[in-house]
Every structure is written in C-alpha cells, then in structure tokens.
C-alpha cells in the first residue's frame, strides 16, 4: 500500500502485531504505556503475547479470511519475526499499512539477498557464495577456503540451519545434512567479538541508534549482552554509521538490528555485517531497563508516525537471557540487588528456549 508514510496514530488506536512470542508481548506492553492498543495474530494458542492484549486472532498465516478480519480491526500492522509469509503480507498490505514494508522482508528473509544488498552499499561482510549443489559447494570452498560456514538461505535462527566445514570434513555429507538446495557459504570470520546496533527510523527519516552492544553466544544462542560494547570510539562510530545507512537505504520505518563481527587489529576491515533483523531484537532487551526509551517503544513510535525518543543510557547495562531450565531459578534472580527480572510466560522450558531475561544496570556513580 502506498501512503504508509501517512500513518499517524492517536492514543486509543490499534496496532496489529503478527507473531505472538516474547517480542510481540514486549511490543504490546510498550504500546500500552503510550495509550495504544494492540491486536496479536498468531497461529499458536499458547502465544505469550496473547496474555497482554484484549484482542487476539489465533489463525494460520495462510487463512486469508482471518487476515482480512484482522486487518479490518487495526490501524497499522507490524511484525515481531521476519519470516512472515509473503502471501500473508500481500493480503494485509492491500488493506492496511504494513510497517516495515513488505519489500524489506524479501531482502532480509534471504541471507543471499541480504548480503548482496549490504555489499552494494559498500559495507563489508564475510566472503560468501551462492550454493545450490554439492558441486557448487566444492567450487565455493575452493574460492573461500576453510574453515567456512554453510547456512540455509532461509528460516535459520539461533544457529539452526548451519554447519561449520573444517579441513577433512566429508563435503557431500555436510551438503546432504543441510537438507536444502538453497544455501550460502561464508568464510569463517575469526572475530574478536560480536556486536549489534539497534537502530530506529521514523517515517520522516529520523534515525536514532542505541549504543553499540556486545553479544556473547552460548551454543549459538544469545546468552549475555553488554552495553556499551567495550570497543574504541571510532569502531563504535563505524558500527552506528553502518546501521544508520542500512536503515536509510531500506527506507525503513521501525526498529532493526544489525549484527556485526569485530575483527582483531590488522586483519583487514574492522567491522563486518553478519545479519540484519527487521524487527526488535534480543540484543536490545537491555534498553527496557537500561535506557530512557526502549527498543520496543521506539518501534511503536516509528510505526505510529510519532517522533522517536533520543535514548539516554542509564549506565553500564548487562542483559542475561534465561534459557530453558534456567527460568526455574527466577526466585533467586528476584532478590539480586539491582536486577530487573522479565518472565515471558511461556509454557514448559525446553532446552534452548528463551524463557525470560534479567537486566542489571551499574549507574555512573557506581550505585
Ligand atoms: N561466517 C561466520 N564466521 C564465524 N562465525 C559465524 C559466522 N556466521 C555465523 N557465525 C556464528 O554463528 C552465530 C549465528 O549465526 P547467524 O548468521 O547470526 O544466524 P542466526 O542468528 O540466524 O542463527 C553468529 O552469531 C556467530 O556466532
Ligand atoms: Mg544471528
């Protein structure tokens, strides 16, 4: 739909959110504080976001009638995950503004399209190649070298749909185990650390970034984020510049995250883009308690056509994910001085499932 830039909500208006996970839940909570209502669309009856909104649509993304009714109930539509099926986005887009727009989903749903886009902007990524067969994998490995990371082009998350290829590995076996003909091979980046930038962009082009965050993964799942990342100012500026440029070039409205690798000194370009998430992001959860305005509120403001906040960080912030069984220790966290506990209200803890998080802020005066 053209005219997405004309969205201007008033308190009492309703935002439609596709996806009912913890990100949708935290978006709806941020919207409520600003006097905006949300209606959540999710196929999963146990969606944690359903608990915090009055109206929910529990239906499949292929259910056109449900999508149409949902669109009729809301003033603007956004999403909490990037794998919104394009057919569903089209149905909605014909009826209500969808922000960020549908074309952005096409770029960010596909690791190859995403890397081509970043490369066209003159921003560095790991060397990469399109891979569609074991023969093209061998060719790509010859060019890119070992170790390398083979990833499915679509639907990967938390390290799923990827395999590291090392010297001596059985290439044919790795290819078969990936289970797709649509893949990308990337050079393995010997990074010093991983960082991300959460950027918000308004419909009139205002960009506000949060401070660069350092991210520590365990078993490919984000475990701890720290803001600000302990990196030199020039590197931080470069990272912020990259995120701002990506948001602007995508003509983005809302919050996006750019994950990056920082390379050790003297090993080439210092910052490489790993991936773009066209949504609020786990590495920005610290902003809920550690900044004057959170990533969730910035996203809501942007899609509402409201001015963005100028985020001020309250101190050194650490966010720790509670993954799987770790949630069972929530009572211990509740009594840690200075800790703020978030529990997502999901069902049973499963290994690798993100169940909650804890934020700790050390203020500049050490308190
Ligand atoms: N080319 C690479 N070189 C080194 N490590 C990588 C590379 N690609 C991914 N990784 C590691 O795997 C993690 C997950 O990969 P990523 O591409 O971000 O996929 P997703 O987060 O969608 O699962 C990264 O955060 C990083 O730790
Ligand atoms: Mg990632």
């Amino acid at each position: 739909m053209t005219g997405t830039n004309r969205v201007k909500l008033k308190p009492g208006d309703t935002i439609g959110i596709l996806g009912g996970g913890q990100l949708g839940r935290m978006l709806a909570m941020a919207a409520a504080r600003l006097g905006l209502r949300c209606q959540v669309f999710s196929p999963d009856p146990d969606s944690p976001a359903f608990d915090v909104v009055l109206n929910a649509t529990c239906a499949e993304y292929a259910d056109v009638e449900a999508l149409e009714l949902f669109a009729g109930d809301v003033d603007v539509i956004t999403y909490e995950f990037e794998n919104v099926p394009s057919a569903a986005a089209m149905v909605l887009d014909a009826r209500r503004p969808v922000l960020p727009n549908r074309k952005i989903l096409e770029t960010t749903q596909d690791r190859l399209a995403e890397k081509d886009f970043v490369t066209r902007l003159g921003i560095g990524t790991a060397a990469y190649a399109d891979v569609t067969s074991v023969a093209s994998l061998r060719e790509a490995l010859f060019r890119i070298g070992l170790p390398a990371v083979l990833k499915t082009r679509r639907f990967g998350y938390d390290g799923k749909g990827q395999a590291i290829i090392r010297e001596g590995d059985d290439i044919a076996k790795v290819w078969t185990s990936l289970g797709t003909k649509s893949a990308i091979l990337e050079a393995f980046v010997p990074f010093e650390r991983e960082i991300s930038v959460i950027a918000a962009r308004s419909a009139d082009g205002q960009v506000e970034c949060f401070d660069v965050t350092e991210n520590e993964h365990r078993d490919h799942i984000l475990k701890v984020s720290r803001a600000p990342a302990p990196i030199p100012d020039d590197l931080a500026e470069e990272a912020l510049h990259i995120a701002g440029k990506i948001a602007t070039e995508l003509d983005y409205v809302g919050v996006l995250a750019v994950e990056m690798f920082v390379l050790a000194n003297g090993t080439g370009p210092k910052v490489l883009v790993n991936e773009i998430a066209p949504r609020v992001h786990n590495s920005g959860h610290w902003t809920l308690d550690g900044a004057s305005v959170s990533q969730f509120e910035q996203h809501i403001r942007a899609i509402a056509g409201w001015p963005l906040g100028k985020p001020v960080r309250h101190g050194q912030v650490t966010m720790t994910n509670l993954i799987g069984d770790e949630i069972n220790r929530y009572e211990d966290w509740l009594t840690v001085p200075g800790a703020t506990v978030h529990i997502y209200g999901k069902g049973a803890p499963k290994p690798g499932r993100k169940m909650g998080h804890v934020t700790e802020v050390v203020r500049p005066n050490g308190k």
Side-chain angles (χ1 to χ4, degrees):
M1 177 163 181
T2 53
T4 46
N5 290 353
R6 291 198 305 266
V7 175
K8 188 88 181 166
L9 302 191
K10 322 173 280 319
D13 285 346
T14 302
I15 294 167
I17 301 174
L18 296 173
Q22 67 269 21
L23 301 180
R25 176 178 167 110
M26 290 186 272
L27 281 169
M29 288 161 79
R33 209 177 61 169
L34 297 175
L36 293 160
R37 300 191 171 104
C38 289
Q39 179 160 339
V40 170
F41 189 112
S42 167
D44 178 1
D46 290 328
S47 292
F50 285 172
D51 292 348
V52 302
V53 293
L54 183 59
N55 294 311
T57 306
C58 190
E60 296 299 322
Y61 294 111
D63 184 339
V64 173
E65 201 187 329
L67 288 168
E68 287 174 350
L69 286 170
F70 172 76
D73 285 343
V74 303
D75 300 293
V76 64
I77 295 167
T78 190
Y79 40 88
E80 59 127 42
F81 71 117
E82 56 271 50
N83 289 317
V84 173
S86 58
M90 264 168 82
V91 171
L92 296 171
D93 195 36
R95 284 161 183 80
R96 285 290 181 273
V98 177
L99 292 171
N101 83 43
R102 197 154 55 80
K103 269 180 31 214
I104 288 162
L105 285 175
E106 282 163 23
T107 307
T108 53
Q109 280 177 353
D110 178 348
R111 291 187 194 277
L112 184 64
E114 184 173 276
K115 287 224 159 45
D116 285 346
F117 164 74
V118 171
T119 304
R120 275 201 304 277
L121 299 186
I123 298 168
T125 69
Y128 65 96
D130 182 13
V131 173
T132 55
S133 64
V134 71
S136 62
L137 175 57
R138 285 187 206 283
E139 268 172 51
L141 283 167
F142 184 72
R143 181 162 76 75
I144 284 173
L146 287 170
V149 188
L150 182 66
K151 303 181 181 178
T152 59
R153 276 172 62 174
R154 290 171 179 277
F155 303 121
Y157 70 98
D158 288 345
K160 293 189 173 59
Q162 19 184 308
I164 298 182
I165 306 182
R166 296 192 174 82
E167 205 63 58
D169 282 350
D170 181 338
I171 305 303
K173 214 160 141 190
V174 176
W175 177 247
T176 322
S177 68
L178 200 68
T180 175
K181 291 201 166 92
S182 190
I184 180 172
L185 185 75
E186 295 177 12
F188 183 87
V189 178
F191 56 81
E192 189 183 77
R193 62 182 88 237
E194 290 190 80
I195 58 171
S196 60
V197 175
I198 309 289
R201 185 168 177 274
S202 68
D204 57 13
Q206 181 194 357
V207 175
E208 296 292 344
C209 293
F210 289 94
D211 290 308
V212 181
T213 306
E214 174 172 25
N215 302 312
E216 215 179 279
H217 294 84
R218 242 166 261 167
D219 301 327
H220 301 282
I221 301 170
L222 183 65
K223 183 56 194 162
V224 177
S225 289
R226 291 185 188 86
I231 56 174
D233 288 349
D234 59 334
L235 264 190
E237 255 159 51
E238 188 182 341
L240 295 171
H241 174 77
I242 287 172
K245 182 160 177 134
I246 288 172
T248 301
E249 295 290 332
L250 286 170
D251 197 17
Y252 198 88
V253 178
V255 161
L256 62 71
V258 183
E259 296 178 7
M260 304 176 211
F261 298 126
V262 176
L263 296 173
N265 268 339
T267 52
K270 290 189 193 136
V271 177
L272 298 177
V273 167
N274 173 32
E275 62 173 350
I276 304 169
R279 54 172 169 78
V280 288
H281 192 260
N282 195 170
S283 69
H285 289 3
W286 65 265
T287 62
L288 275 171
D289 308 300
S292 54
V293 52
S294 74
Q295 63 164 347
F296 302 99
E297 178 169 338
Q298 288 291 62
H299 186 77
I300 296 295
R301 289 183 186 212
I303 64 166
W306 293 8
L308 300 178
K310 298 214 168 276
V312 175
R313 192 168 35 75
H314 297 321
Q316 303 256 358
V317 194
T318 305
M319 188 282 317
T320 305
N321 269 341
L322 302 179
I323 298 168
D325 285 346
E326 287 168 357
I327 196 66
N328 296 336
R329 287 190 49 230
Y330 68 89
E331 288 210 19
D332 296 344
W333 280 107
L334 288 172
T335 55
V336 172
T340 308
V341 180
H342 298 254
I343 300 172
Y344 303 150
K346 292 181 172 179
K350 290 182 202 138
R353 192 170 194 204
K354 291 173 180 168
M355 304 298 292
H357 73 267
V358 179
T359 320
E360 294 166 278
V361 183
V362 178
R363 308 242 166 199
N365 63 5
K367 299 254 168 76

